[in-house]
């Protein structure tokens, strides 16, 4: 998950961990930034704040290519070594094939294990940290930021692409009206936040919608970015004004969010209780 620090709105920037509204205002005023490290020039951003927020911001086409990846600045030296060792190129997805081809001979786990042990010793870190940096590099190379696509179509997956979608109709802006119309398909939305269980999206209604991880099809939450525009289907609206959405193209059915779920946890039926009493 990451935001383009030079183009995102203040509202989206405030979603970044440790960035207060006052700090966000200072960042916007200091634009454009050339590197992630430029954040340390902002009054109020010290080493601890930088450590918390740096991995969540992106800077594209800057002097440091790793600033546009998932890799945290504290791991840049390790990342550069891994790129060279694994023969990976940040701007060339096909370079990942070299890792996969080798993996077919020795197993990918074996290669990573050998590289990780050597890197952990060389950079005085844990093997888990090395594995994490490798994953971040592979994801950054093979899944380019869809916000950089100039052609108007997603380079990742046609399912979540906003192509063919439109803004929600003005007569559906009321949640009460929207509930009666569900499912409402092929609506443009902007990702506001990504969490473990899904993503919250702004589709132009009264409240943001929840795109639960079970409604993303084959699309991984890791590929969804704050500020990214996607296509959604609005599936249901609850009495408490919660909105459920799914990715456009999956054609998921409408949902009744106010239906009570059956009780779980081994509740005994009356007949079963009577038998126990007789014993």
């Amino acid at each position: 998950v990451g935001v383009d620090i030079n183009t995102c709105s203040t509202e989206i920037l405030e979603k970044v961990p440790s960035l207060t509204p006052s700090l966000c205002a200072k960042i916007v005023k200091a634009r454009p930034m050339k590197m992630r490290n430029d954040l340390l020039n902002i009054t109020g951003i010290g080493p601890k704040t930088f450590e918390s927020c740096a991995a969540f911001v992106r800077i594209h086409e800057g002097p440091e290519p790793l600033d546009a990846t998932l890799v945290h600045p504290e791991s840049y030296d390790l990342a550069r070594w891994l790129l060279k060792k694994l023969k990976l190129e940040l701007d060339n997805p096909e370079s990942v094939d070299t890792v996969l081809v080798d993996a077919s001979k020795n197993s990918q786990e074996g290669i990573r294990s050998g590289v990780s042990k050597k890197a952990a010793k060389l950079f005085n870190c844990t093997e888990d940290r090395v594995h994490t940096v490798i994953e971040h590099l592979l994801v950054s190379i093979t899944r380019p930021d869809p916000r950089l696509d100039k052609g108007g179509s997603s380079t990742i997956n046609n399912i979540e692409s906003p192509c063919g979608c439109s803004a929600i109709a003005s007569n559906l802006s009321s949640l009460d009206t929207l509930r009666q119309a569900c499912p409402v398909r092929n609506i443009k939305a902007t990702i506001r936040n990504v969490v473990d269980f899904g993503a919250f999206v702004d589709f132009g209604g009264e409240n943001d919608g929840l795109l639960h991880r079970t409604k993303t099809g084959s699309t991984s939450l890791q590929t969804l970015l704050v500020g990214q525009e996607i296509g959604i289907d609005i599936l249901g609206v609850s009495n408490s004004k919660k909105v459920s959405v799914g990715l456009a193209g999956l054609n998921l059915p409408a949902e009744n969010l106010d239906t009570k779920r059956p009780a779980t946890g081994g509740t005994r039926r009356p007949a079963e209780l009577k038998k126990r009493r007789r014993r």
Side-chain angles (χ1 to χ4, degrees):
V1 182
V3 303
D4 189 322
I5 201 169
N6 285 323
T7 62
C8 71
S9 67
T10 303
E11 180 185 5
I12 290 178
L13 194 57
E14 290 176 2
K15 301 285 186 181
V16 176
S18 298
L19 293 187
T20 63
S22 60
L23 288 177
C24 291
K26 293 177 182 178
I27 291 172
V28 171
K29 190 175 181 179
R31 287 173 173 172
M33 293 189 175
K34 294 182 179 180
M35 302 178 68
R36 278 172 168 166
N37 281 341
D38 289 345
L39 284 169
L40 291 169
N41 297 326
I42 301 293
T43 303
I45 296 183
K48 289 186 177 180
T49 301
F50 179 76
E51 182 180 353
S52 298
C53 72
F56 294 91
V57 300
R58 304 282 184 273
I59 294 180
H60 301 286
E61 300 181 354
E64 176 51 76
L66 289 169
D67 281 343
T69 70
L70 292 168
V71 180
H72 193 283
E74 67 182 6
S75 297
Y76 279 3
D77 288 340
L78 171 59
R80 294 187 189 100
W81 185 88
L82 289 170
L83 286 169
K84 185 176 181 180
K85 191 70 176 178
L86 296 173
K87 300 178 182 179
L88 298 171
E89 300 173 24
L90 288 177
D91 58 352
N92 182 16
E94 293 183 359
S95 67
V96 176
D97 291 343
T98 59
V99 179
L100 299 179
V101 169
D102 289 343
S104 66
K105 298 177 181 178
N106 306 297
S107 90
Q108 191 170 358
E109 290 75 14
I111 291 177
R112 292 191 185 185
S113 178
V115 171
S116 296
K117 288 180 180 178
K118 188 177 294 186
K121 186 175 181 180
L122 185 62
F123 290 91
N124 192 28
C125 64
T126 65
E127 289 186 40
D128 285 341
R129 179 181 172 189
V130 178
H131 284 299
T132 297
V133 174
I134 291 175
E135 286 298 325
H136 286 172
L137 287 172
L138 292 178
V139 169
S140 298
I141 294 171
T142 59
R143 301 172 185 170
D145 191 333
R147 294 169 297 189
L148 299 179
D149 180 37
K150 307 298 182 183
S153 62
S154 172
T155 58
I156 295 179
N157 189 326
N158 289 330
I159 291 293
E160 78 263 20
S161 170
C163 290
C165 298
S166 58
I168 192 167
S170 58
N171 64 321
L172 295 177
S173 59
S174 166
L175 290 182
D176 290 331
T177 305
L178 183 60
R179 184 190 309 170
Q180 302 299 321
C182 287
V184 179
R185 304 199 184 278
N186 301 321
I187 300 298
K188 285 184 179 181
T190 302
I191 296 176
R192 293 303 187 195
N193 195 16
V194 181
V195 292
D196 290 342
F197 53 84
F200 290 95
V201 301
D202 179 2
F203 59 89
E206 295 177 20
N207 295 339
D208 288 348
L210 171 60
L211 174 62
H212 195 268
R213 63 186 180 188
T214 59
K215 297 180 177 65
T216 61
S218 60
T219 299
S220 169
L221 285 177
Q222 290 184 333
T223 67
L224 301 180
L225 303 170
V226 174
Q228 178 185 349
E229 190 175 74
I230 61 175
I232 64 166
D233 291 341
I234 302 172
L235 306 176
V237 180
S238 71
N239 289 328
S240 57
K241 298 188 176 181
K242 293 179 180 179
V243 183
S244 174
V245 307
L247 285 182
L250 295 177
N251 295 319
L252 297 171
E255 292 182 316
N256 183 350
L257 302 182
D258 298 310
T259 300
K260 292 184 178 180
R261 296 180 180 179
T264 58
T267 303
R268 298 184 184 277
R269 292 174 293 183
E272 195 173 340
L273 290 174
K274 287 181 180 178
K275 289 181 180 180
R276 288 181 62 86
R277 287 172 187 167
R278 288 173 184 170
R279 292 174 187 172

